Structures are given as structure tokens and as C-alpha cells.
Amino acid sequence: MQPNESRTIDFFTEDALPAPCVTPTDAERIAAERLGMTARAQGLGSQQDANFLLHADDGTPTAVLKIANPAFGDTEIDAQDTAADLVTAAHPELRIATVLRHPDGSPRRTTVDTQTGPAIARLLHYLPGGTLSGPRHLSPASVAAMGTIAGKVSTALHGFRHPGLDRVLQWDPQHADRVVDKLAGFVGEPDRRAAVQDAAAQAWTHVHGLAAALPTQAVHLDLTDDNLIRSPGTCPPLPDGVIDFGDVTTSWAVGELAVTLSSLLHHDGFEPHHVLPAVRAFHAVRPLSREEAEAVWPLVILRAAVLVVSGRQQAAVDEDNAYAKAALDREWRIFEQATSLPLPVMVRLIEDATGMAKVPARTAPADAPVRPLLRDLAADDITLLDLSPDAECMDRGAWTDADTEERLAAAALADGAAAVATRYARTQLTRTQVLSAASTATVSTGMNVWLGRDAVLQAPAAGRVLAAVPGRIELTYGTQVLSLSLAREDRPKVSSGATVQAGEELAHLGSGTTVHVALRAADGPDVPRLVRHEYAPGWLALTADPAPLLGLPADCDRPRDSDLLDRRDAVFATVQGHYYANPPRIERGWRHFLLSTEGRAYLDIVNNVTPLGHAHPRVEQAVSRQLRRLNTNSRFHYSSVVEFTERLAALLPEPLDTVFLVNSGSETVDLGLRLAIGASGQHDVVALREAYHGWTYASDAVSTSLQDNPNALATRPSWVHTVDSPNAYRGRHRGTDAARYEPEAVAVIDELAASGRPAGAFIGETYYGNAGGVALPDGYLAGVYAAVRRHGGLAVADEVQVGYGRLGHWFWGFEQQGVVPDIVCVAKAMGNGHPLGAVITSKGVAERYREQGYFFSSTGGSPVSSVVGLTVLDTLRDEDLQGNAARVGSHLKRRLEALTDRYGIIGAVHGSGLYLGLELVRDRATLEPATEETAELCDRMLDLGVIVQPTGDHLNILKIKPPLCIDSTAADFFADMLDLALGQLGHG
């Protein structure tokens, strides 16, 4: 039969569909002799067709030669080409691999002979950029873009009719049950074969019940990572192109989305919840009906099952097909992920993601019982135990103690409660695990009840006992199952299979007993006591709040913060940005961890504001004690401001003996410059390029970081003069040539003086923090300080980021340079999160300020601020945090340096102690900044439980400045997750 006949394929009448056997030489001949294109052919993989990329003599890709499987007729090929043209016309923003055409508009295609029969060969447009194939992790933006494209293709093909769409394909989900039945025997392992058959049967039953309500239309049906083309150069990879319309047919419209979702599941680090951005994006373009939303995940499972059995069959019948064989492991991973959660959970999760849940993520409470579950126990006798991140009982790291729940329950019982109960559907922070690459199960699906006196469990309503064994009772409760988990020694008073009436005794429980109470749908799967927050909407939809069974009101006021970012943007100036596009809500911290309201513990790698660690008890106690006594301004006479400034001055060398106290780093730089200008009588200032010093008028004027102000250099006031960033890695002079920065800066200072405008101040970070912790060249500050002083100016040291022991080997950054500034500006670490800053200078410089007027800061140096400052200094000393910075920082730097051998994207590891910078480059020779790659890496690290952010003018340096209390275990976790993320993102 000739392929140009008006026929279409019926998969179930074919024994097999091996790809045409065509060599690259054959392909070149076909292209030249039959299609008029002389080119070199490079084989591309395909399941059932033969594809070749054609190159011109200079290597430039010119077209794709596609030789269809002989089983596909001319009518089908015409339908594919027409569908591609339709999508192109409907969505010109998408790149589509349409057929190349002759000047008269006819397609460049022909019929060729192959070993398996005549086949249609044609030339298609080549789309540069590459596919999304391979194991590389895909970001939420990439995933959403795939969903958007699937939605656009679906809308473009809606209403398309063509005889070539009337096909019976093995990939059509309408035939998935028959395909699995036909090909399951090719799966040789009995356990895997049974798993595929069972999962497919369950999914098919679910879809079959919805089939009548599922609309059909023309579908591409292969919008996978193999067939979506990334826009060239995008990072993260964002697709904008579509190839391979070979599976176009008429089928359920929602199958378009299911195919796309299934292709995501094999990517590194992917779980089922990672597909939700694609679901939401598709739904935004092409809204799903309620029935379609319910059908999505069963169709994903069916697609996965078909992939597994089809892949095994293709590998068996087409032994030379390396593409098909290479896909076997990937296809099995897709199936494993698709079936890793009970089907009803994913169905409800997708319904929730599309706003179509029949009930909210929080389900309705249980029906009111005829009798209370615990006889003679009133609601007023029960104390509710809040274990959420907001609960005060979680303060001071209590959530990290293994016995916290038991201790809190025992305390409440000792205070007179007859029983203590946890809350349904709430995050239990006590179950949070630190240093975990995935979230832990923290959301409760039932309630724990501790009894302070003997009690009787009784049936709340008539029902049938489903299970009754020591430690466990299950019985029906309307359309639900009531599950009671007891101590092993607690024996039921009823038997399995028995019918019970309301009030009938189920068990006698002694004082001190704990019982777990849960309700789940009778037709649903078993539900764990705790579930991960990503899947909580799916699991909770299968449960109900058991509180009414105990006489308690249902917990209907669970906070939902989905609009919190919008509310923030409405009233909080948006120029005050936030980390991450979709940030976790952080309401608690402890040591070097930040905790979200969902119970996720994140390792904090960015907070140099809290050197002691978050929520340090000594600071909290000191602030609370002082607030109970006095907080006023420093014009009053009290001891703490004296003691603090004495301690601070004692940390600095002579002649730095006089302290000003303010509230922030910006204020310290502003004041430091005013002091220098006032003392010198010279108004010009020399500053380093690529530096950030603050947001006040003066501190912003000397800030030249292009990321903080893209017009920084062009908008400097005339009194600010800049010198080269003395960056030995990325600057104008590199390596040993970095010694040239110092004489060049000195020359600028000398030239200013010679022009009659001698600098009154030179300001610079003493260790280049904004550049990612880059050490200044040896002797740099000595030469520059000497030059500015020679002309009557003062040296101002910005220690806001790097001071206070963070560098490990030095308490102050200027110590590394062997110099003594005239003015030192310090903040951030001083207050462990409390707003506190200081300027330290000599008495002579300080006194000259009087000539400008008086100085006063309402809260700078207040009793509370002074006590905080003293407490931080005491704790830094008592806990040897500077020593810890040296030890852990050295260990971490070695770990990071070891990664440079494995990942070419790592250009350098900068820094000292716990002020480190990992600089990422696209090319180690040109040092092209890997800006987008760094942003994607930070997002992936967040998913892996680490908060880290970029810095530098190109935002290509990971700033590594965690609380100084971080330990080696946490440092290793950071390095391990960085290793994992770099590999998952394809940088290996």
C-alpha cells in the first residue's frame, strides 16, 4: 500500500512500528536528490520515525529531514503540516517547526523506499536552541512556560478538522487501556508488570467514569521536553518552540496537558508537586472544566504506563533503536513518580491548584456526633495544644527537643486539664527536621489526645467495626472511617465486623494514655498522621476535622496567607524588594535556621545581621529585662551607654577612643563622612567603584554598585570621585597585577589635590564585601590612607558587613591590611538584628563636629540598644564565635574549593572566615558572569532547604555570610546541596 493513499493508522492492526532504517548517507542522498537540499546529515533520535539534522558545509543547521514511519499515510502527514501552520498563525510568538515549502506553496516532501516500505520524507524548519530533554532540573518558570505552550497549542487546534486526524494511535489516552493490555507482556519483570497493570487499571476506571464529560478536539499529544525548544540563551531554559506534530490526532483535550506533565517527572529532583506551575499556566490559557481537572492525573498515570510498555516493546522489536533503549530508565522513573502518591491525593491537589476543589484544602468538619467520643469529657475540660510555628511554646528552640510535645502536654495536665489535644490540619513545628533536602511531614491529618484521667471511648454514632486489635480501632462514621490509634496495651471492647450503636463502649483508657483520632473518606486510601505541606491540600481533602467528636468547635480559622504578598505590595513600597519571586513566609528563626509557616527549616547562609544566630536567648532576655525598666534617649544619664561605648572603644586601636551611636549602617557612613569633611574642612571624597555604603544622601552618594543603582557612576555628585575597584579576580588588574591598583588610586588622590580639590575623605570597605568577600591587594589601604592623609584628609573604614569577627582571623577588616583608619563605621552585627550602628573615631575628630552643630540620635544609644550591644559583645566572646568563624569558615572554604574541579561554572572562591563568595562564570578565561545561572541556582537551593542570595555588580556571586554560630555539619549540608544543585542544573 502506498503512503499517499487516503488511509490512517490503526495501531492495533500493526504488529510493531520499527523506525525506518535510514543511514546518514541515505539521508543526504534523499535530501539532495529528492528534496533539493545538499547537506550533511546528523542522526536524531526517534521512537518510530527517522529524523536527521541537515548542516550546510560551514556546519550551520539548515533544516530537519523527517522520514515518517511507513505506517503513516499521506493524509496523516498533511494533517500534521496543516496543524503546525495553524498554530503558527494563531500564536506568532511561538516558533513552530513547519514544513518547508516550494515557491508555489507546496510542501517539500516526497516518498522514498525503505526496508520496511515506502515512507514520506519532508523538510521541516530547524529551530535553534535545543530541547528540554535530559535529566536537567527544570525551574518553576520553565515548567510554567511548558504549560503555557500546551495551553496555546490546545486553543489553536480547537475546531481543527481533517481526515488525517482520524487515527488510532498507541499514544492516544482514549486507547491507553488497550495498549497496556496488548504490550504489558514486553515488561519482563513480574513485579513491574503487575505494578503497571494495576496502576493503569485504577487510572482507567477513574477516567472512564469522566469520559462522557471530557471534550475532544485536535491535539498535538506530544508536547514533551523532547519536543519543546528553548529560546536560545535563556536561563533558566524557557521554551518558545514546538517540533514534531507526528502524533496529532483527535482525542480528549485535557490529554495535551497530561502528556506535558508526564514528561517532567523524570527530571532530576522532580516530584509530582513540581508540575503544578504547568497546570496553573495551562489553566490560565485554556481553562479546564471540573471534570478535566479531575482527569489530569489519571491521564498522567496512563501516559506513564503506556510509555513503559511501549518502550519495552519498541526496544524488543527495533533492536538497533538506541533512542528507544536509552529511554527505558527514564520512562520507568516517570511511572514511579506518577504513582508515588495515591491517585485521589493528586486528583485533589490539582483541583486545589486550579481552584476547582469541591471542598477547600481545609475540609469541612465531621458531622456532629450523637454521643461524644470520650464519655463524660466536656469541651471545657480539654486544653488545645498549639504546636505551630507561631506558638509561643515553640520559643527558644523548644521545637528541636524530642520530648517537647510530651512535656507540654504533661504541663497542661498538671495545670488541671482533663485532656490535651493537638489541632487538625495545623503545622506541627516539633516534627520539622533541619538540614533536609526535602520538606518533612509536619501537617496533621488528625488529633492527638493526652488523657489526664481515666476515660471511656464510645461510639459517636451507629456504625460497623472495621478493625479492632490491641492498639487500634476503626469503625464507620457515616461516609467516613473513624480511626483510633491507642497504646498497644489498650484492648478494644468490640470485635471486628460488629455493629455498634451510639454510646457503645469501644475501649477503656487509663490516665496518661494517648489516643490519635482521625477521620478519612471511606472510599479513600489510608492517610498518614502527618503529611508534607506541598501535598497537604490533596491529603486533607480526604479527611475531616475530628474536633466535633470531642465536643470541640471545628478549627475553621486556620490562617491562609495566599494574598499576603499582594497586601505587602499594596502598602509597602515595592522598591523595598523581597527575596524570591514566590518566597516562603518566614515567621521564626533559631540559630542558623529560618522557619517557614509551613514548617520547613531553611539553612540561613545570608544573615550577617544576626551573628549570634536567630532568637538568641541572651539577647531576648536582655531586651525584655531592659524594656521592663527603661528605654529613653541618650541625653539621659544611665550606665549601659557608658559601659557599651567603653567596651566598643576598647576593641579598637589608638587613637580610636570616641563613639557615636546610631541605628544603621547607612547612618554610620553618612556620619563618618560628615565627621571627615568637618574635621578636614575639605568637601571632596574618594570612593571605590562597585561598592555599596547605604541609602542616605551621603552614603548613597559614595555608593557605586551598579546593582543597587544602574546609573550610579553617572549620577554621582561632583564632590564624589571614584577609583578602580581593587578586585584581583575580576578587575582591570588581575592576579599579581593587582598591585597596580594602589599607586593608581594614590595618583587620583594626588591629582585632586593638585587641582585644588584635596579629598577630605577616602571611604572603602576594608574587605570587599559587595564584591563577594574579595580581599584587597596587600598594602592597598596603607598606600591610599597615607596619600589622603598627606593632603589633609581622613581615612574612613566601612566595617558594616565584614567587621565584628566575621572574617575569623581578624576582628576588624582593616587588621588584615595592617592599617588604622581615622574613622570606623560599624553596624549590622552589633545588634544581632536590633537596629544599632556606631562610628568610632579619635576625640579630636569627634570634637570638630561641634563646629557643625550638635549631634543627637533619638534611639541611637538608648538603654535597650546599649544593652543589646553589650550582650552581643559578651556572647561573641563567651561562645568564641570569631574562633568558630575561623574554624568553620576554613572548613567550608575547602569544601567549596573542592567543587571547582567538578564544576567549570565556579570561577573562584573568595573570602575569609564566614564572609565568603562563590563566583560563577560562563567562561573561566573571559570571566563572563553567569548571572542568570546564579539566580536559578539560588532558587534551586531554596527548594533544597538553603537560603542563599547573589551579590556583586553582575549578581553572579553567592554571598555566604551565615550566622557565626553555624557548625560544620550545617556547612557540609550547604556544600552538599550546592554540589547537588549544580549537578541537577547541568553544570557538571
Side-chain angles (χ1 to χ4, degrees):
M1 185 177 292
Q2 297 299 311
N4 61 353
E5 294 182 4
S6 298
R7 64 181 178 87
T8 57
I9 187 173
D10 182 342
F11 168 75
F12 296 100
T13 65
E14 304 283 344
D15 291 331
L17 294 173
C21 184
V22 180
T23 67
T25 300
D26 294 335
E28 292 171 1
R29 177 179 51 78
I30 292 169
E33 297 178 4
R34 306 295 297 275
L35 296 169
M37 181 174 288
T38 301
R40 290 184 293 105
Q42 173 190 349
L44 301 173
S46 177
Q47 186 87 358
Q48 295 172 340
D49 301 322
N51 299 323
F52 297 88
L53 179 59
L54 302 181
H55 296 269
D57 289 340
D58 62 0
T60 303
T62 55
V64 171
L65 172 64
K66 188 176 187 69
I67 303 172
N69 193 288
F72 302 145
D74 188 73
T75 302
E76 293 168 284
I77 302 302
D78 186 67
Q80 295 167 28
D81 293 342
T82 305
D85 289 339
L86 278 173
V87 178
T88 299
H91 293 287
E93 73 278 10
L94 296 179
R95 297 181 299 146
I96 307 298
T98 53
V99 66
L100 271 64
R101 296 185 180 275
H102 294 293
D104 64 359
S106 61
R108 294 177 70 174
R109 70 185 186 216
T110 186
T111 300
V112 298
D113 290 325
T114 71
Q115 291 182 359
T116 48
I120 297 173
R122 67 198 195 278
L123 295 177
L124 303 174
H125 281 100
Y126 166 73
L127 305 183
T131 70
L132 301 177
S133 301
R136 185 195 195 281
H137 183 82
L138 296 178
S139 71
S142 302
V143 173
M146 293 175 70
T148 297
I149 290 177
K152 289 181 176 181
V153 171
S154 182
T155 58
L157 295 180
H158 181 72
F160 174 45
R161 303 288 186 272
H162 193 287
L165 299 179
D166 298 328
R167 325 164 70 191
V168 179
L169 297 178
Q170 73 189 98
W171 312 115
D172 186 342
Q174 294 179 115
H175 311 301
D177 61 327
R178 296 169 61 198
V179 174
V180 172
D181 286 345
K182 178 178 179 178
L183 304 182
F186 286 94
V187 181
E189 308 93 327
D191 54 339
R192 289 192 173 189
R193 182 169 60 250
V196 169
Q197 290 173 317
D198 291 346
Q202 181 191 16
W204 181 257
T205 298
H206 195 107
V207 172
H208 186 66
L210 300 166
L214 300 180
T216 59
Q217 66 165 70
V219 287
H220 180 285
L221 213 58
D222 203 12
L223 295 172
T224 67
D225 54 344
D226 286 337
N227 293 327
L228 294 180
I229 306 300
R230 64 185 290 179
S231 178
T234 55
C235 183
L238 298 177
D240 69 347
V242 179
I243 63 174
D244 195 357
F245 282 70
D247 292 337
V248 67
T249 188
T250 298
S251 185
W252 291 317
V254 68
E256 200 80 278
L257 174 60
V259 167
T260 300
L261 301 186
S262 66
S263 75
L264 293 166
L265 295 177
H266 72 91
H267 286 267
D268 283 349
F270 250 72
E271 299 181 35
H273 74 86
H274 285 115
V275 308
L276 294 180
V279 175
R280 297 187 185 101
F282 182 95
H283 184 58
V285 175
R286 191 279 189 192
L288 296 164
S289 69
R290 183 182 298 279
E291 292 80 8
E292 286 179 313
E294 187 175 344
V296 168
W297 204 254
L299 289 174
V300 169
I301 293 175
L302 288 170
R303 171 73 174 189
V306 167
L307 285 173
V308 171
V309 298
S310 298
R312 297 300 184 93
Q313 184 233 16
Q314 195 70 22
V317 302
D318 194 0
E319 294 183 355
D320 295 330
N321 192 330
Y323 175 87
K325 290 185 176 180
L328 297 180
D329 289 341
R330 178 183 68 193
E331 290 159 351
W332 182 251
R333 174 163 172 77
I334 289 172
F335 176 79
E336 284 185 316
Q337 286 295 312
T339 57
S340 60
L341 286 155
L343 175 58
V345 174
M346 287 305 300
V347 168
R348 302 304 187 275
L349 193 67
I350 288 175
E351 289 176 338
D352 184 76
T354 54
M356 294 186 186
K358 297 174 184 175
V359 291
R362 297 260 358 265
T363 60
D367 294 333
V370 178
R371 300 288 176 84
L373 181 62
L374 289 167
R375 185 180 294 173
D376 300 329
L377 196 65
D380 291 343
D381 297 328
I382 303 174
T383 295
L384 285 173
L385 180 58
D386 186 0
L387 301 174
S388 72
D390 290 333
E392 289 190 12
C393 61
M394 296 294 102
D395 290 351
R396 300 184 182 178
W399 57 275
T400 64
D401 297 333
D403 64 345
T404 291
E405 292 181 21
E406 296 296 332
R407 176 177 55 79
L408 293 172
L413 294 174
D415 284 343
V420 175
T422 58
R423 306 176 79 173
Y424 164 77
R426 291 293 184 110
T427 297
Q428 295 186 357
L429 192 59
T430 47
R431 303 307 177 99
T432 296
Q433 295 180 15
V434 300
L435 304 180
S436 174
S439 65
T440 47
T442 58
V443 181
S444 58
T445 60
M447 300 174 69
N448 283 334
V449 181
W450 290 264
L451 297 175
R453 66 188 188 203
D454 293 350
V456 174
L457 273 176
Q458 61 182 5
R464 185 168 61 89
V465 179
L466 302 176
V469 295
R472 184 169 68 93
I473 301 172
E474 286 192 350
L475 63 154
T476 59
Y477 183 73
T479 60
Q480 297 167 324
V481 172
L482 172 60
S483 178
L484 304 169
S485 299
L486 320 171
R488 288 188 177 276
E489 59 270 19
D490 292 323
R491 295 184 173 275
K493 299 292 183 181
V494 292
S495 302
S496 298
T499 299
V500 294
Q501 301 301 316
E504 188 171 338
E505 292 185 2
L506 301 176
H508 289 179
L509 304 178
S511 175
T513 297
T514 303
V515 57
H516 182 264
V517 184
L519 284 167
R520 71 173 191 272
D523 59 351
D526 289 341
V527 178
R529 292 189 184 189
L530 296 164
V531 295
R532 295 170 58 194
H533 70 86
E534 296 95 337
Y535 301 108
W539 283 110
L540 292 177
L542 307 177
T543 68
D545 188 349
L549 302 184
L550 301 172
L552 296 168
D555 184 15
C556 296
D557 61 346
R558 180 169 176 254
R560 294 182 66 87
D561 58 4
S562 57
D563 66 340
L564 195 60
L565 275 179
D566 292 336
R567 288 165 53 196
R568 170 183 169 131
D569 290 343
V571 295
F572 192 64
T574 54
V575 72
Q576 303 170 92
H578 53 75
Y579 294 142
Y580 306 107
N582 295 295
R585 181 179 166 188
I586 304 295
E587 299 285 359
R588 181 179 290 278
W590 178 247
R591 292 182 59 77
H592 42 284
F593 297 104
L594 292 169
L595 296 130
S596 75
T597 52
E598 296 169 331
R600 183 79 189 269
Y602 294 95
L603 176 61
D604 180 3
I605 294 295
V606 300
N607 253 302
N608 59 341
V609 176
T610 50
L612 312 185
H614 298 284
H616 198 288
R618 288 179 70 171
V619 175
E620 176 253 317
Q621 291 162 7
V623 169
S624 177
R625 182 173 59 250
Q626 188 60 49
L627 282 173
R628 292 196 303 269
R629 298 177 179 180
L630 173 70
N631 198 28
T632 184
N633 66 68
S634 59
R635 287 175 169 175
F636 289 93
H637 182 43
Y638 49 89
S639 65
S640 58
V641 70
V642 178
E643 294 172 5
F644 177 46
T645 51
E646 286 178 340
R647 286 279 299 280
L648 196 55
L651 291 169
L652 288 139
E654 292 293 341
L656 303 175
D657 58 4
T658 304
V659 179
F660 293 81
L661 292 177
V662 290
N663 305 294
S664 70
S666 295
E667 291 174 76
T668 67
V669 172
D670 196 292
L671 177 57
L673 292 174
R674 292 186 65 182
L675 285 168
I677 291 169
S680 67
Q682 300 166 184
H683 292 273
D684 288 84
V685 175
V686 175
L688 297 178
R689 296 189 193 120
E690 299 182 24
Y692 175 77
H693 297 288
W695 57 265
T696 64
Y697 177 75
S699 60
D700 177 67
V702 296
S703 294
T704 52
S705 167
L706 298 181
Q707 278 302 323
D708 295 291
N709 178 1
N711 300 311
L713 294 176
T715 58
R716 295 308 87 202
S718 61
W719 52 270
V720 176
H721 312 274
T722 62
V723 295
D724 263 344
S725 162
N727 188 326
Y729 176 72
R730 174 171 290 282
R732 193 158 57 93
H733 306 307
R734 301 175 182 178
T736 57
D737 285 347
R740 297 168 61 184
Y741 287 119
E742 179 263 325
E744 290 179 355
V746 168
V748 171
I749 294 169
D750 289 342
E751 288 167 8
L752 279 173
S755 70
R757 301 182 65 178
F762 169 85
I763 184 166
E765 286 187 289
T766 55
Y767 206 97
Y768 222 174
N770 200 63
V774 177
L776 303 180
D778 290 344
Y780 181 83
L781 288 184
V784 173
Y785 281 10
V788 76
R789 287 166 175 161
R790 186 167 61 248
H791 299 294
L794 278 69
V796 182
D798 182 347
E799 294 275 353
V800 171
Q801 292 208 73
V802 300
Y804 254 55
R806 176 160 292 279
L807 295 173
H809 303 291
W810 309 279
F811 193 84
W812 303 108
F814 63 75
E815 293 174 321
Q816 186 265 342
Q817 285 280 302
V819 296
V820 177
D822 299 300
I823 299 169
V824 174
C825 305
V826 61
K828 289 193 186 294
M830 292 182 67
N832 205 56
H834 181 85
L836 182 56
V839 177
I840 308 99
T841 186
S842 64
K843 193 167 296 295
V845 171
E847 289 301 315
R848 292 292 300 275
Y849 191 91
R850 288 186 179 277
E851 298 172 11
Q852 304 177 57
Y854 73 94
F855 176 80
F856 173 65
S857 174
S858 293
T859 54
S862 70
V864 167
S865 293
S866 298
V867 164
V868 168
L870 280 167
T871 304
V872 169
L873 287 175
D874 288 342
T875 309
L876 283 171
R877 176 199 62 209
D878 297 345
E879 297 184 5
D880 187 27
L881 293 182
Q882 182 181 350
N884 191 65
R887 292 185 296 272
V888 176
S890 295
H891 172 74
L892 177 55
K893 190 171 185 179
R894 288 192 298 271
R895 287 291 317 271
L896 298 178
E897 288 171 339
L899 295 178
T900 62
D901 294 334
R902 299 179 55 194
Y903 300 104
I905 194 172
I906 300 177
V909 182
H910 307 302
S912 173
L914 286 173
Y915 203 112
L916 303 175
L918 189 80
E919 183 149 2
L920 304 180
V921 296
R922 291 175 179 164
D923 187 298
R924 287 182 177 177
T926 65
L927 302 189
E928 179 185 358
T931 302
E932 291 78 14
E933 292 86 346
T934 304
E936 185 184 27
L937 178 61
C938 289
D939 286 340
R940 181 60 186 142
M941 291 292 283
L942 180 71
D943 207 27
L944 294 172
V946 178
I947 291 179
V948 64
Q949 284 290 298
T951 189
D953 265 13
H954 306 287
L955 291 182
N956 68 313
I957 308 167
L958 296 185
K959 52 185 174 184
I960 301 166
K961 45 181 187 173
L964 301 186
C965 60
I966 190 172
D967 54 30
S968 294
T969 301
D972 282 335
F973 178 79
F974 170 61
D976 290 343
M977 293 305 99
L978 188 61
D979 186 3
L980 178 62
L982 288 168
Q984 289 180 339
L985 295 175
H987 298 305

